[in-house]
Amino acid sequence: MSLPPLASGPDGPAALRPLLDTVLDALREGGRSRGGPLPEGGPQAVTARITDAAGDILPHNGEPDALRTLVHALAQGSADPADPLCTAHLHCPPLAVATAADLAASTLNPSLDSWDQAPAASALEALVTRALAHETGLADALVTTGGTEANQLALLLAREAHGGSVRLVCGANAHHSLPRAAWLLGLPDPVVVPAPGGTLDPAALDEALTRLPRPLLVAATAGTTDAGLIDPLPEIAGLCAAHGARLHIDAAYGGALIFSDRHREKLAGLEAAHTVALDLHKLGWQPIAAGLLAVARPRDLAVLNQRADYLNADDDTEAGHPDLLGRSLRTTRRADILKIAVTLKTLGRTGIGALIDQVCAQARQFAALVHDHPGFELHDRPVISTVLFRPTGATDDAVADVRRRLLQDGRAVLGRARMDGRLWLKATLLNPHTGPDDLAHLLKLVEGTTPR
């Protein structure tokens, strides 16, 4: 029996080339078989098709056609974030150049827990994280798997900066990962401040900071998951400074606005934070995962330092080998920084900013369509690229049913959000190639599915 070829090494590219042809063909044919933004039939039908394609997942003898079969089945059964009718979540279609770079990272397979496993990747990560941190007005950044890990890390750094205890104060609009992080870290129950209209109320925050014992960590949001709203960051930063509270800004969604000259001003106050969460697999068009946590005080990261002689022995570090264990909560880490670096270098600030401006403009166009249609109600003008709307006069049950029927039929993928005590359909525009006709078609599909 011959041994299977490896992806890396001198013969790796030659071994990969025909396999990539197989993958690309299977992706194309699987997408055609799906025929829309989502496979039709709902969870049971998708599970049945995958089960049939997988068959015996661990056969006695291997099946040479498994790559084509399973990639085809996955493509056929996937939600396609590049389809203009797939708008439910902060689930972006990745850029081709970023995906190609991600293949290189998978092929070379550097592990960013020691320099001798990732010589070039560790140097590249240091360059890119500092550059992105400076874009936010902060000093350094760590790579994370996304906003959830970044938020947890922010709470950990705050806890350790205050001697092992801190209390989280956040708005009712905060991401669920923040109270979860407080629970995971053994912190007191968070103090939840009202967020009328979807953004944190500064007056209520001031009252909470006045009465609560120190130390406190305030978490503000720049781009809420439900509606893409941005808390009043300058006011919140001022209150934190006045009350001696630490400030974390969860900008997992809205943080990428820093690349847009047109929209960057919406993030005024970002530079006042102690920590900022960024997530470029949302409004950054990166394959998952591509998160970061920017920090104002690099010395805060010292609490992450760990010693493992086989990874960062003292004499190796003293000899100039970088110590990478203090750069993450994780040990083994893939080189997610490569795709980010390639994207930044390929598109530049102007190119990335143009993509952001495009999807924000699409959201305004879609909101105008909703506003002008007598059969729909618009929640509010979009701040970033999220639009909330609902059929006029519909009950919450009817709104939920419209969304599920579109999902069941595989015709459109819309999200849901509860705002002002009512359920809304949510369209998150993240595909810069979506055109006006696509937006009109999406609204027409919802209109045709709405009960009369």
Side-chain angles (χ1 to χ4, degrees):
M1 173 180 157
S2 61
L3 295 175
L6 301 176
S8 56
D11 299 325
L16 274 173
R17 195 173 301 278
L19 296 175
L20 292 180
D21 287 339
T22 298
V23 167
L24 295 175
D25 289 344
L27 287 171
R28 181 183 62 248
E29 296 305 320
R32 287 176 177 172
S33 298
R34 184 183 60 246
L38 194 77
E40 65 178 348
Q44 289 185 340
V46 173
T47 299
R49 287 193 289 267
I50 284 290
T51 301
D52 181 62
D56 183 355
I57 203 66
L58 185 61
H60 181 69
N61 294 312
E63 300 175 7
D65 203 33
L67 178 63
R68 184 201 64 80
T69 300
L70 291 179
V71 171
H72 181 283
L74 193 66
Q76 183 182 30
S78 290
D80 180 8
D83 191 297
L85 303 179
C86 190
T87 65
H89 302 286
L90 289 163
H91 179 197
C92 72
L95 292 166
V97 70
T99 304
D102 213 29
L103 170 63
S106 293
T107 299
L108 296 168
N109 210 29
S111 180
L112 281 147
D113 50 320
S114 66
W115 181 88
D116 57 355
Q117 298 177 85
S122 60
L124 182 64
E125 183 175 274
L127 288 171
V128 177
T129 50
R130 282 197 298 268
L132 288 173
H134 292 166
E135 287 294 317
T136 68
L138 277 60
D140 198 1
L142 304 182
V143 175
T144 71
T145 54
T148 293
E149 183 187 342
N151 285 339
Q152 181 179 349
L153 185 54
L155 264 67
L156 173 63
L157 296 180
R159 185 189 72 179
E160 296 307 299
H162 289 293
S165 180
V166 71
R167 191 162 194 186
L168 173 65
V169 181
C170 61
N173 60 337
H175 193 263
H176 64 83
S177 63
L178 283 160
R180 178 196 279 181
W183 168 70
L184 284 169
L185 293 169
L187 299 176
D189 289 341
V191 175
V192 179
V193 175
T199 58
L200 191 152
D201 179 10
L205 176 63
D206 188 24
E207 187 276 330
L209 295 180
T210 300
R211 65 179 170 82
L212 291 170
R214 314 289 188 269
L216 299 170
L217 169 66
V218 174
T221 305
T224 60
T225 303
D226 279 349
L229 304 179
I230 297 175
D231 285 340
L233 302 181
E235 292 179 72
I236 293 171
L239 289 171
C240 288
H243 289 279
R246 189 177 173 103
L247 174 60
H248 169 63
I249 298 178
D250 178 3
Y253 177 12
L257 296 178
I258 58 175
F259 299 114
S260 166
D261 291 340
R262 183 175 301 173
H263 295 284
R264 185 186 180 101
E265 65 181 21
K266 295 177 181 177
L267 296 179
L270 198 70
E271 70 286 347
H274 293 78
T275 50
V276 173
L278 301 172
D279 205 345
L280 296 178
H281 59 243
K282 291 182 171 65
L283 197 62
W285 297 280
Q286 298 299 293
I288 297 166
L292 299 107
L293 179 75
V295 297
R297 303 171 182 172
R299 65 180 180 272
D300 286 353
L301 300 178
V303 299
L304 300 177
N305 290 340
Q306 294 289 320
R307 282 291 164 191
D309 193 65
Y310 75 104
L311 294 175
N312 61 347
D314 288 340
D315 55 327
D316 280 348
T317 303
E318 292 167 2
H321 287 203
D323 176 4
L324 304 181
L325 280 187
R327 302 293 297 176
S328 179
L329 293 173
R330 295 168 283 150
T331 303
T332 301
R333 287 195 296 122
R334 72 190 303 272
D336 287 317
I337 202 65
L338 177 60
K339 61 199 174 192
I340 299 173
V342 167
T343 300
L344 297 176
K345 185 76 171 173
T346 301
L347 274 68
R349 183 191 307 280
T350 301
I352 299 171
L355 294 179
I356 290 167
D357 293 347
Q358 179 74 3
V359 296
C360 290
Q362 289 168 0
R364 293 194 300 271
Q365 292 168 9
F366 188 63
L369 287 176
V370 172
H371 179 271
D372 294 342
H373 195 300
F376 290 99
E377 179 182 352
L378 176 69
H379 179 263
D380 206 347
R381 294 183 62 188
V383 174
I384 307 178
S385 67
T386 299
V387 179
L388 301 186
F389 67 107
R390 53 182 283 141
T392 302
T395 64
D396 284 357
D397 287 344
V399 172
D401 186 61
V402 166
R403 175 179 174 272
R404 284 192 292 267
R405 287 171 62 188
L406 290 170
L407 291 176
Q408 182 74 17
D409 296 342
R411 290 187 293 162
V413 190
L414 285 165
R416 54 185 289 163
R418 188 165 293 279
M419 296 285 292
D420 302 333
R422 293 190 293 167
L423 187 65
W424 299 81
L425 296 172
K426 177 174 70 171
T428 306
L429 285 304
L430 292 178
N431 182 351
H433 293 278
T434 296
D437 290 345
D438 298 315
L439 299 174
H441 182 44
L442 176 60
L443 195 60
K444 192 71 174 177
L445 281 176
V446 178
E447 181 183 20
T449 312
T450 303
R452 299 296 179 185

